[in-house]
Amino acid sequence: MATYVVGDLQGCLDPLTALLEKAGFSVEGDRLWVVGDLVNRGPQSVDVLRFLRSLGFAVTAVLGNHDLYLLALAAGLPPKDKLGDTIQPVLDAPDRDVLMDWLRGLPLMHAEGAWAMVHAGLLPQWSVPQALGLAEEVAENLRGDNWRGFLLELFGNKPTQWGESLSGWDRYRIVINAMTRMRFITPEGVLELKPKGPPENAPEGLIPWYSAANAAWRTHTILCGHWSALGLRDMGHVVALDSGCVWGGKLSMLRLEDRSVFQVDCPACSLPGGSD
C-alpha cells in the first residue's frame, strides 16, 4: 500500500486521472491525500467532487480557501463575481446537496505519523496536536446543523495574531485564515494576507510562514499547497505541492513512502494570468 499526496486540483479532473494512472495508483490498495482547493477556476469542479467522493475511504482531503468559498455560496453568501470563477455549475448540479454534505465533512487538517497536511500552512505558535484540535473546532461547526450561519460569519482578515484567549468568530476566523489562506507572516507570527508573490520577493518585514524560527509544528513534515508562486518544493520540513495546474503548469503528486514525485502537464486547465 502506498500513500500519494496531490497538489491543488482546482477543478482539473483529467490531469488527476492521468497522474494516478502514471503512478500506478490502485483504489483497492493505495491512498490518496489531497491538499485542498478541490474546486474553482478549472472546468471540471463537479467532476472532481464526484470522483473524489467515489473513492470512499481511499481518499483523504482537507479544505482549501476555494472549497470554503463554494460552501459559503451554497450557504447563501452573495457571489463576488471574480473573473475566472467556475463554481456555478456545482451549485446548479442535481446532486449539489450530496456534494456539499460530503465537502463540509472534510477537515481543515490531517496528520498521520510524521506527516501533517493542511492547505496553506500553520502558525509558528501551534504544535501539530494543538492545530489538529483547532481544526476540529471548525469541523464540528461545519458538520453541525447551523453550518450555513457559521460560514456566513467567517470571511474577513482579522484578527491577524493568534492568542489563546481568542474565542468565538475571532478564534475560528484566524484558524481558517492561517490554514487556508496564509503565505507571509511577520517573524513574530502575525498574519499578512495580501502579498501573493514568490517567497524570494517577500515584502519588507515579512517572511514565508514556513521560515519562522522554532515553530512548534516542526515535529512533523508539513504537506501543503495554495501557493502557486512557490511551486513544487521539497524543503525537508515542508513539502509544497501547488505547481499551478490550473494556470497551465503541472499537477504534482508525492509518494510518502519514498518521497518520489510524479507530475503531468495541465494544458487543458490553462487560464490566463497566474493567481491563487
Side-chain angles (χ1 to χ4, degrees):
M1 183 180 79
T3 299
Y4 297 90
V5 188
V6 70
D8 300 37
L9 300 174
Q10 291 198 240
C12 296
L13 178 61
D14 290 342
L16 174 61
T17 55
L19 188 56
L20 293 176
E21 182 177 358
K22 182 176 183 178
F25 175 83
S26 167
V27 70
E28 289 81 17
D30 296 329
R31 298 176 64 197
L32 177 65
W33 292 10
V34 190
V35 301
D37 274 3
L38 314 181
V39 301
N40 205 14
R41 305 295 173 83
Q44 299 170 296
S45 290
V46 176
D47 298 316
V48 165
L49 294 178
R50 289 171 178 160
F51 176 74
L52 292 178
R53 181 174 175 271
S54 75
L55 296 181
F57 293 113
V59 69
T60 298
V62 295
L63 292 168
N65 52 303
H66 284 285
D67 309 316
L68 287 170
Y69 178 54
L70 168 58
L71 284 171
L73 292 180
L77 184 77
K80 297 180 181 179
D81 295 325
K82 286 186 177 180
L83 182 65
D85 277 353
T86 59
I87 282 179
Q88 193 59 44
V90 184
L91 299 174
D92 294 339
D95 53 348
R96 157 191 164 148
D97 290 345
V98 171
L99 296 175
M100 293 304 96
D101 286 348
W102 179 82
L103 191 64
R104 67 187 179 91
L106 300 181
L108 286 178
M109 183 179 171
H110 176 75
E112 284 187 32
W115 304 95
M117 177 173 64
V118 67
H119 179 59
L122 298 177
L123 288 172
Q125 300 95 324
W126 295 340
S127 67
V128 166
Q130 180 183 12
L132 285 168
L134 294 170
E136 180 58 23
E137 291 180 28
V138 173
E140 288 176 357
N141 283 280
L142 288 176
R143 294 191 298 257
D145 292 339
N146 190 38
W147 65 274
R148 293 178 178 84
F150 178 75
L151 281 162
L152 295 179
E153 294 287 345
L154 285 181
F155 288 83
N157 293 341
K158 293 182 179 180
T160 60
Q161 188 165 12
W162 170 253
E164 294 289 349
S165 62
L166 287 176
S167 62
W169 301 118
D170 284 346
R171 184 178 180 90
Y172 300 138
R173 195 176 293 120
I174 194 169
V175 169
I176 285 174
N177 283 343
M179 293 189 182
T180 70
R181 298 177 60 201
M182 177 172 63
R183 296 181 184 90
F184 293 104
I185 59 173
T186 70
E188 296 76 30
V190 178
L191 277 171
E192 177 51 70
L193 294 170
K194 290 184 180 180
K196 293 186 177 182
E200 294 79 11
N201 296 339
E204 185 176 356
L206 299 179
I207 60 172
W209 67 268
Y210 53 80
S211 296
N214 302 315
W217 50 257
R218 285 179 182 265
T219 55
H220 290 63
T221 297
I222 308 300
L223 304 159
C224 62
H226 181 60
W227 200 346
S228 61
L230 180 61
L232 172 67
R233 298 195 194 193
D234 187 339
M235 297 172 277
H237 61 290
V238 171
V239 183
L241 288 159
D242 183 2
S243 44
C245 180
V246 79
W247 307 111
K250 296 179 182 293
L251 185 64
S252 299
M253 188 165 69
L254 178 77
R255 186 166 59 205
L256 295 188
E257 287 73 18
D258 58 4
R259 286 176 105 112
S260 292
V261 171
F262 303 85
Q263 291 185 307
V264 294
D265 295 325
C266 302
C269 272
S270 180
L271 292 176
S275 177
D276 296 318

